[in-house]
Amino acid sequence: MSRVLLLSGGLDSTSVAAWQRPEHCLVIDYGQRAAAAERRAAAAVATDLDLPYTHITVNASAVSGGLMANQPHSVGETPEWWPYRNQFLITVAAGWAVLRAYDEILVGTVAGDGDRHADGTQTFYDAMTAVLQSQEGRLSVSAPAIHLAAPALIHESNVTDSTLGWTHSCHVDNLPCGRCPGCVKRAEVLARAERLQ
Ligand SMILES: [Zn+2]
């Protein structure tokens, strides 16, 4: 079984990387505002964990929406909404992975993501697996941490503080703004993870 992880360089996908130790990590610049910081963070995380990684750019900013792209959002219910974001990223990862005979795509979704985004639910990932398997290859999509809240994932994964120190969570800037949903969630998750120690 060979697995490629979609690594954003945030807390969740970094913890999944440390926990699952996938055979490869894929870092995608899709035109998000924090792309440069996410790329730096993901590269540092992969290097720190001694995992191979590849960075690719597939610019989807022409079909972006919401806070992560500095666009007004009109359809989604959360500020960081981006239409079909996970579907797009999984499709890109699947194209990359099927050409290299991988079996599985891992994503860093945690419990609660599905409450904010329809593309963070097990139903969605099962549907994406069905779509992929109706085509080439036998790729499946797995979210191994989907039943764990982010602090529990940090605890379960045994990711170290030094690895987490490389992560980037801000949705709106390459330096943490301290106010966006990504920054706020990061502070809450780290405070709760600290209490689990
Ligand atoms: Zn921020």
Side-chain angles (χ1 to χ4, degrees):
M1 174 69 79
S2 59
R3 302 157 304 159
V4 58
L5 168 70
L6 275 168
L7 181 65
S8 73
L11 294 176
D12 301 343
S13 62
T14 292
S15 299
V16 169
W19 181 35
Q20 297 288 318
R21 299 204 58 83
E23 282 64 43
H24 208 88
C25 300
L26 192 62
V27 183
I28 303 178
D29 175 346
Y30 54 96
Q32 73 275 36
R33 285 164 81 178
E38 289 188 12
R39 177 181 181 171
R40 268 200 308 273
V45 163
T47 301
D48 196 50
L49 293 173
D50 198 22
L51 294 173
Y53 74 97
T54 298
H55 173 267
I56 59 175
T57 299
V58 185
N59 193 341
S61 58
V63 290
S64 64
L67 182 74
M68 293 170 75
N70 203 17
Q71 303 279 334
H73 71 100
S74 55
V75 182
E77 293 182 356
T78 60
E80 67 271 28
W81 170 84
W82 179 307
Y84 313 114
R85 188 182 78 108
N86 284 353
Q87 182 178 338
F88 173 76
L89 294 176
I90 289 166
T91 300
V92 171
W96 188 93
V98 76
L99 291 168
R100 292 162 180 82
Y102 283 86
D103 303 300
E104 193 166 35
I105 296 166
L106 300 182
V107 296
T109 297
V110 295
D113 285 355
D115 300 337
R116 291 175 67 78
H117 310 277
D119 61 2
T121 61
Q122 188 62 49
T123 301
F124 168 77
Y125 292 120
D126 290 345
M128 284 305 298
T129 294
V131 167
L132 296 179
Q133 295 198 352
S134 70
Q135 302 167 84
E136 305 71 31
R138 296 297 299 164
L139 276 167
S140 60
V141 186
S142 295
I146 200 163
H147 301 298
L148 293 171
L153 168 62
I154 289 173
H155 190 66
E156 179 77 26
S157 69
N158 287 318
V159 66
T160 64
D161 290 351
S162 65
T163 301
L164 287 179
W166 294 111
T167 59
H168 180 84
S169 305
C170 184
H171 293 326
V172 303
D173 211 335
N174 290 321
L175 287 173
C177 74
R179 295 181 302 275
C180 77
C183 285
V184 171
K185 182 182 169 197
R186 176 190 183 86
E188 288 172 2
V189 166
L190 290 177
R192 282 194 209 136
E194 189 71 28
R195 290 199 287 274
L196 288 175
Q197 301 285 316

